[in-house]
Amino acid sequence: MGTEASGREHGGTRVLVTGAAGMLGTELVPLFRRDFDVTAADIAEFDMRDAAATDAFVSAAAPDVIINCAAYTDVDGAESDPEAAFDVNRVVQVSTDYVFDGTGDTPYAETDEPRPLGVYGRSKLAGERKVAEVSQDALIVRTAWLYGHAGPNFIEKMLSLASSGRVLRVVADQVGAPTNVRDLAGAILELIAVEATGVVNATNRGWCTWFEFAREILDLAGLEDIPVEPVTSEEFPRPAPRPGYSVLSLARLVSLTGKEPRSWQDALAEYLAER
């Protein structure tokens, strides 16, 4: 997934990015401004749970394309506040690996039947279906294990805990694809450029467990001596259930864009180099 623009022919196209102050939005906005007329909006501009305010803002912006990065992303919090999760994610176009139950052992294709385990996944799936209902040209991008410079993430948590002097305990029975939001933003740009529709998976290439991810983070950061202990999900209980295996197939993304995503290791190395 590259972040290079696809040309200047889209300069007159108006793009509205919601959730622009979030982790993905902060990468999308400057990237898309190279080629598009972008309106960036966050909750300070309007609250998308307010239908009238949303309609008024969108009407005034008159976008040709809406890229909705606004979402309720507190996976555990969604379990205790399902109404909030559904209110926000009902119109989301960026979706998640959490729409699957994780019982598979091969990468999930876009056509595989979703079976979300918790409120967060169900709200995201509801958002997918709502968007598909209102627009036959909708693009729904499923991604996973996001991190970026504009928000808290697993990488920063591991680096912070590394200074505690304690042995780190990290789940080793959940498998997914760590994804740099910069690469996701680039993939969305490429998919729009080729006028892709329907569901498309977009993550960095490859997969690992959270334990393996943590070990790679520490090793690349020069903290090889920090001990990390693998644990099971049962030993590290959380309010929301997590899929055990949520790797997404990238075959359709590659077919549509003609570009192979870079590895999660390379994307992680760049992130760490920029801290």
Side-chain angles (χ1 to χ4, degrees):
M1 288 178 285
T3 58
E4 291 302 316
S6 299
R8 289 292 190 187
E9 69 274 16
H10 302 297
T13 301
R14 293 186 300 274
V15 176
L16 170 61
V17 178
T18 63
M23 190 162 58
L24 175 57
T26 55
E27 290 286 348
L28 270 169
V29 170
L31 176 63
F32 273 71
R33 278 185 172 153
R34 300 176 189 174
D35 295 274
F36 299 90
D37 179 5
V38 175
T39 297
D42 210 90
I43 197 166
E45 285 69 41
F46 71 96
D47 186 340
M48 63 167 36
R49 292 169 295 184
D50 183 333
T54 300
D55 288 344
F57 191 93
V58 173
S59 295
D64 299 299
V65 179
I66 298 175
I67 304 175
N68 192 357
C69 302
Y72 186 93
T73 57
D74 183 352
V75 176
D76 292 317
E79 293 299 311
S80 59
D81 192 5
E83 184 176 350
F86 276 90
D87 280 351
V88 177
N89 287 321
R90 193 172 299 279
V91 293
V92 161
Q93 292 167 273
V94 177
S95 194
T96 175
D97 56 332
Y98 277 48
V99 299
F100 296 111
D101 62 10
T103 58
D105 57 8
T106 57
Y108 285 100
E110 291 85 350
T111 52
D112 287 334
E113 184 67 26
R115 292 189 179 89
L117 295 174
V119 170
Y120 175 72
R122 292 198 299 272
S123 72
K124 284 293 197 178
L125 181 58
E128 289 187 13
R129 290 172 174 169
K130 186 64 175 180
V131 169
E133 284 176 12
V134 300
S135 174
Q136 291 183 337
D137 295 326
L139 171 63
I140 297 161
V141 180
R142 287 181 183 153
T143 191
W145 294 26
L146 291 180
Y147 63 87
H149 294 289
N153 60 61
F154 182 79
I155 300 169
E156 298 301 331
K157 183 177 181 179
M158 290 300 103
L159 294 175
S160 176
L161 289 174
S163 63
S164 68
R166 298 177 300 178
V167 175
L168 305 188
R169 303 176 73 246
V170 182
V171 170
D173 58 1
Q174 295 173 22
V175 181
T179 302
N180 191 320
V181 290
R182 179 170 299 170
D183 292 307
L184 177 58
I188 293 172
L189 177 62
E190 296 293 344
L191 289 168
I192 289 175
V194 298
E195 301 182 349
T197 61
V199 180
V200 183
N201 298 330
T203 67
N204 280 119
R205 176 168 45 84
W207 55 83
C208 61
T209 65
W210 288 110
F211 167 77
E212 291 167 334
F213 189 23
R215 187 67 270 167
E216 186 75 3
I217 291 166
L218 297 174
D219 290 350
L220 288 176
L223 301 172
E224 300 91 342
D225 295 336
I226 299 296
V228 184
E229 176 187 344
V231 299
T232 67
S233 297
E234 290 183 354
E235 294 176 272
F236 199 80
R238 304 290 295 274
R242 266 72 169 170
Y245 180 93
S246 60
V247 180
L248 302 175
S249 170
L250 302 177
R252 184 163 193 245
L253 175 68
V254 174
S255 175
L256 287 167
T257 66
K259 296 184 178 181
E260 186 82 21
R262 64 175 170 171
S263 71
W264 68 264
Q265 295 95 330
D266 287 347
L268 171 62
E270 178 184 271
Y271 174 91
L272 290 171
E274 294 176 347
R275 291 181 74 247

